[in-house]
Amino acid sequence: MANSAGSRKRARQAEKRRQHNASLRSMVRTYIKKVVKAIDGGDQAAAAEAFKVAQPIMDSSVNKGIFNKNQIARTKSRLNARIKALA
C-alpha cells in the first residue's frame, strides 16, 4: 500500500479512473453487440441503424484512450463489411 499522502491520492485517482474507463469500455462493447445481433438476425436496415449509432461512440472511445485506434478501425470495417454482405 502507498505510504505518502501523494501516493495514496495517486492510488485513489488511479482506481477511480480505472472504474470510469471500464464503464466506457463496457458501453462500447454493448453497442458493438447490438450491431452484431442485428446482423445475425439478418435485418440489414436495423444493423445499419445500430452501426450508425455505434460509430461515433466507438470513435470517441479512441479519443479518450479507451481503445486503440487501429482496433476500432478494424472493428468498424468488419462490421460494415458484414452489413453490406447482407444485401
Side-chain angles (χ1 to χ4, degrees):
M1 185 59 199
N3 289 321
S4 69
S7 53
R8 278 197 295 270
K9 180 177 178 180
R10 262 297 180 216
R12 284 195 310 271
Q13 289 175 326
E15 178 59 21
K16 200 173 187 178
R17 195 164 47 248
R18 185 190 68 78
Q19 289 178 349
H20 184 249
N21 288 345
S23 169
L24 293 174
R25 196 176 306 116
S26 173
M27 181 186 70
V28 171
R29 288 176 178 156
T30 302
Y31 276 98
I32 292 171
K33 284 176 194 167
K34 286 178 183 176
V35 178
V36 171
K37 187 176 180 185
I39 291 170
D40 290 342
D43 188 355
Q44 188 186 12
E49 189 58 39
F51 184 63
K52 199 158 67 169
V53 172
Q55 236 176 335
I57 293 164
M58 294 163 75
D59 291 334
S60 70
S61 72
V62 170
N63 294 334
K64 293 172 185 172
I66 307 298
F67 288 102
N68 184 287
K69 70 173 184 168
N70 287 349
Q71 180 185 356
I72 291 297
R74 184 173 61 242
T75 303
K76 289 191 320 191
S77 174
R78 288 176 180 173
L79 288 174
N80 200 30
R82 288 180 66 186
I83 291 169
K84 286 183 176 178
L86 288 176

